[in-house]
């Protein structure tokens, strides 16, 4: 293969390694690295956990003395600042790497081209942009957090073939089958926070935990304008074991807020006059806390409000081969909605996969 094909081949391997850090490294980006001598890989690594060694350090350790004169392939520009770990640029220079191929620049303000500049100043040949689109897709949540200060919002719902998430009575157990619910638990185990509306919290009485546990323990959030979440709900009852945040409006009674706080919940007052404004304030607060991925599990009013605000980035739908009917049976996204089908939002990076009897459909609304 020619040199450009070789570069893509090694970078694809680096991207595969980077993906192994999902759910373990946030709010840091997922990064993978390959050190190669021609077609031979002599060292590889990935960022395994937040605060742990970076991918480049792992790959250089495995390559050892053979790194001198070799090429490094890395999915993100190497860091050049002292953070939780020393700068990778200095380790690369000391190792004698002659060429660095990076998929993309790191927009983080402490790096943002400075890593590439440092390597070039040391006489290292640097190329940027190999499989950049794939690298940006992999780290879309990290890039959004840096760009907007808000987490990546993942909407999830299960619905029947006629588009219902529950029967007209509110009965929703179970729309989807056990294989689909296992996938949802995997999603829960890798995100920073899981949010539902107050009606869903009361109707379904969910725990919103990952079973079995994943690499992360998500903050559980209830959007509850009047702080009326029941003290007997499983969320409130377990708030001292797994964190619960109740996002309330300015009209929430002080007594109700105190009741939830006494049970171990954190109560966050979002004081915008309109529900949409309060949701945006909540997203800003989560971003300030460096929460990278937010999974929203319903109900229809909450998902519809986020859709109206343009704040949904990714969608996971479990389509069950069932019919429920009923004009009053709830649908996944309420809110105002769009005026015409021509205005409909389209999913990109679309995937379909059988999940038992269900069909798992997922894709992204946000351009990468």
């Amino acid at each position: 293969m020619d040199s450009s094909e070789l570069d893509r081949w090694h970078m694809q391997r680096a991207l595969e390694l980077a993906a192994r850090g999902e759910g373990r490294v946030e709010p840091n980006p997922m990064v993978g690295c390959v050190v190669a001598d021609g077609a031979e890989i002599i060292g590889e690594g990935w960022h395994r956990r937040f605060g742990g060694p970076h991918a480049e350090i792992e790959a250089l350790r495995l390559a050892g003395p053979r790194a001198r004169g070799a090429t490094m392939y890395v999915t993100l520009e190497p860091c050049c600042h002292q953070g939780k770990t020393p700068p990778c640029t200095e380790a690369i220079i000391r190792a004698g790497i002659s060429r660095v191929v990076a998929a993309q620049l790191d927009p983080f303000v402490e790096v943002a081209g400075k890593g590439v500049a440092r390597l070039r100043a040391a006489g290292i040949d640097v190329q940027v942009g190999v499989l950049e689109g794939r690298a940006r897709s992999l780290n879309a949540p990290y890039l959004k957090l840096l760009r907007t200060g808000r987490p990546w919002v993942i909407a999830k719902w299960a619905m029947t073939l006629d588009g219902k998430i529950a029967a007209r009575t509110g009965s929703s157990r179970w729309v989807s089958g056990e294989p689909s619910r296992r996938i949802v638990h995997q999603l829960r185990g890798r995100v920073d926070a899981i949010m539902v509306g107050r009606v869903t919290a009361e109707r379904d009485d969910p725990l919103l935990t990952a079973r079995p546990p994943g690499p992360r323990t998500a903050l559980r959030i209830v959007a509850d304008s009047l702080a009326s979440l029941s003290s007997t709900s499983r969320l409130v009852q377990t708030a001292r074991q797994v964190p619960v945040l109740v996002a309330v409006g300015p009209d929430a009674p002080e007594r109700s807020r105190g009741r939830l706080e006494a049970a171990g919940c954190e109560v966050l007052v979002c004081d915008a006059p309109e529900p949409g404004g309060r949701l945006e304030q909540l997203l800003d607060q989560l971003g300030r806390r460096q929460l990278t991925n937010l999974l929203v599990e319903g109900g229809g009013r909450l998902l519809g409000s986020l859709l109206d605000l343009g704040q949904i980035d990714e969608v996971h739908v479990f389509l069950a081969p069932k019919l429920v009917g009923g004009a009053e049976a709830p649908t996944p996204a309420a809110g105002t909605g769009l005026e015409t089908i021509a205005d409909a939002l389209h999913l990109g990076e679309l995937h379909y996969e059988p999940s038992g009897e269900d069909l798992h459909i997922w894709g992204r609304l946000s351009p990468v």
Side-chain angles (χ1 to χ4, degrees), residues 86-102:
C88 290
T89 50
E90 304 314 301
I92 293 168
I93 293 166
R94 287 195 303 272
I97 291 287
S98 64
R99 180 173 178 250
V100 172
V101 180

Side-chain angles (χ1 to χ4, degrees), residues 44-322:
E44 59 181 29
W46 68 94
H47 189 28
R48 295 173 184 263
R49 61 178 178 83
F50 179 72
H54 287 188
E56 299 95 319
I57 304 305
E58 281 209 345
L60 288 173
R61 179 178 57 80
L62 287 177
R66 296 189 64 192
R68 186 161 300 278
T71 298
M72 172 178 284
Y73 298 87
V74 62
T75 57
L76 190 69
E77 176 184 11
C79 67
C80 54
H81 66 292
Q82 177 70 49
K84 289 186 176 296
T85 59
C88 290
T89 50
E90 304 314 301
I92 293 168
I93 293 166
R94 287 195 303 272
I97 291 287
S98 64
R99 180 173 178 250
V100 172
V101 180
Q104 68 167 115
L105 296 177
D106 186 349
F108 181 55
V109 65
E110 295 286 350
V111 187
K114 301 183 187 73
V116 165
R118 173 71 183 108
L119 295 174
R120 285 174 174 159
I124 296 173
D125 178 24
V126 181
Q127 180 181 351
V128 179
V130 174
L131 299 187
E132 180 175 4
R134 296 184 195 178
R136 294 182 66 82
S137 177
L138 178 71
N139 274 316
Y142 166 77
L143 297 173
K144 182 193 177 185
L145 184 61
L146 286 183
R147 187 179 70 253
T148 69
R150 291 179 175 177
W152 183 261
V153 179
I154 305 166
K156 164 263 163 185
W157 65 81
M159 70 180 185
T160 61
L161 284 176
D162 53 345
K164 309 298 184 181
I165 59 173
R168 58 181 173 80
T169 60
S171 169
S172 61
R173 288 180 181 259
W174 293 100
V175 172
S176 59
E178 180 60 32
S180 296
R181 297 197 292 275
R182 283 199 295 269
I183 295 172
V184 172
H185 282 285
Q186 290 169 5
L187 281 170
R188 288 179 178 180
R190 69 167 179 83
V191 300
D192 300 291
I194 304 166
M195 181 163 66
V196 296
R198 196 269 309 168
V199 173
T200 297
E202 293 284 10
R203 184 191 67 209
D204 295 346
D205 196 20
L207 272 174
L208 301 182
T209 54
R211 301 181 295 278
R216 304 185 89 75
T217 299
L219 171 68
R220 301 175 296 171
I221 303 172
V222 181
D224 180 10
S225 293
L226 295 177
S228 58
L229 182 64
S230 171
S231 295
T232 62
S233 69
R234 294 202 293 172
L235 287 167
V236 176
Q237 290 289 309
T238 60
R240 298 194 188 280
Q241 287 77 53
V242 182
V244 173
L245 183 151
V246 183
V248 306
D251 297 328
E254 187 172 339
R255 181 176 178 179
S256 298
R257 289 158 46 187
R259 170 181 59 83
L260 291 170
E261 288 174 334
C265 299
E266 177 186 357
V267 176
L268 175 68
V269 179
C270 300
D271 58 7
E274 298 296 327
R278 294 197 289 273
L279 269 178
E280 295 199 287
Q281 287 180 329
L282 174 59
L283 292 175
D284 289 336
Q285 177 61 227
L286 298 180
R288 284 192 286 273
R289 298 183 186 200
Q290 293 292 287
L291 302 186
T292 308
N293 291 283
L294 168 65
L295 176 63
V296 183
E297 296 201 14
R301 287 169 55 188
L302 176 59
L303 287 167
S305 295
L306 288 166
L307 195 62
D308 288 343
L309 291 169
Q311 291 299 318
I312 293 178
D313 301 295
E314 183 174 331
V315 175
H316 287 258
V317 177
F318 298 89
L319 185 61
K322 301 174 182 177

